[in-house]
Amino acid sequence: MSKTTVQPAIVERAAQPYVAFRETATMQTMDQPARRFPVLFGWLGAQGIAPAGAPFYKYDVIDMARELIVEAGVPVASEPEVPAEMVAGVLPGGRYVSVTHVGHPDQLVDVVRAMLVWADEQGLTWDKTDTPDGEAWGCRLEIYETNPQEEPDMNKWETELAFRLAD
């Protein structure tokens, strides 16, 4: 892992309601779901709903060679009614492997790879199922702790990866 990445740790996360936009992307278009964050924050503001944490990508299905189903989401205090083009749900509680990376988002592919190897070396089992469409994850999060409007230097951005373990 890069020098700015801490060692992975197993953490307990509580269940967390959220709202999101679900999109299909490829590895080349992974930045596209993020364009929905301003719309999402605008909708939350119009409803008088405060975010309960940092925005995130939730990877529902991953086939790196073809496409990924991704939710661009924001945690909230309770699950609201949402328009048809949005989704509301609850991130499941449980044990997660977590690592925080400080650096450019382009480095996350290598951080994820190292995290997966670390978990394999520890004998850990992910909350995921292989399907014809790819790996279906119970909860695989990329949490964007840095507000780009406050810190424009992408090399200083902090991103937490939190992948749920099987029970």
Side-chain angles (χ1 to χ4, degrees):
M1 290 196 198
S2 74
K3 63 185 165 105
T4 58
T5 302
V6 297
Q7 274 298 111
I10 297 173
V11 299
E12 193 74 30
R13 293 178 66 95
Q16 175 67 63
Y18 73 98
V19 294
F21 284 102
R22 182 178 286 135
E23 296 200 18
T24 300
T26 65
M27 285 306 294
Q28 293 71 35
T29 63
M30 277 310 299
D31 60 333
Q32 293 302 302
R35 76 185 188 288
R36 305 298 291 257
F37 284 131
V39 176
L40 190 55
F41 280 107
W43 181 86
L44 288 171
Q47 305 303 309
I49 300 171
F56 59 82
Y57 272 6
K58 178 177 175 280
Y59 293 87
D60 293 332
V61 179
I62 299 175
D63 181 338
M64 300 287 271
R66 293 185 301 159
E67 61 185 24
L68 304 90
I69 299 173
V70 180
E71 295 179 32
V74 176
V76 293
S78 61
E79 193 176 340
E81 291 289 322
V82 297
E85 67 271 14
M86 294 172 62
V87 295
V90 177
L91 302 173
R95 292 181 334 129
Y96 286 72
V97 172
S98 173
V99 66
T100 299
H101 171 70
V102 177
H104 198 285
D106 287 349
Q107 299 168 342
L108 287 172
V109 170
D110 290 336
V111 175
V112 168
R113 187 175 298 117
M115 184 174 154
L116 296 173
V117 167
W118 178 87
D120 187 52
E121 290 170 350
Q122 306 302 310
L124 301 172
T125 303
W126 300 112
D127 178 12
K128 73 176 175 78
T129 306
D130 290 325
T131 74
D133 294 328
E135 297 173 343
W137 284 78
C139 194
R140 179 171 165 162
L141 302 171
E142 198 170 278
I143 305 165
Y144 307 112
E145 300 289 349
T146 303
N147 181 338
Q149 294 174 335
E150 295 173 7
E151 177 53 74
D153 183 351
M154 295 173 84
N155 294 303
K156 295 179 180 177
W157 286 7
E158 184 174 310
T159 307
E160 179 188 0
L161 302 174
F163 299 0
R164 189 167 193 262
L165 293 168
D167 290 332

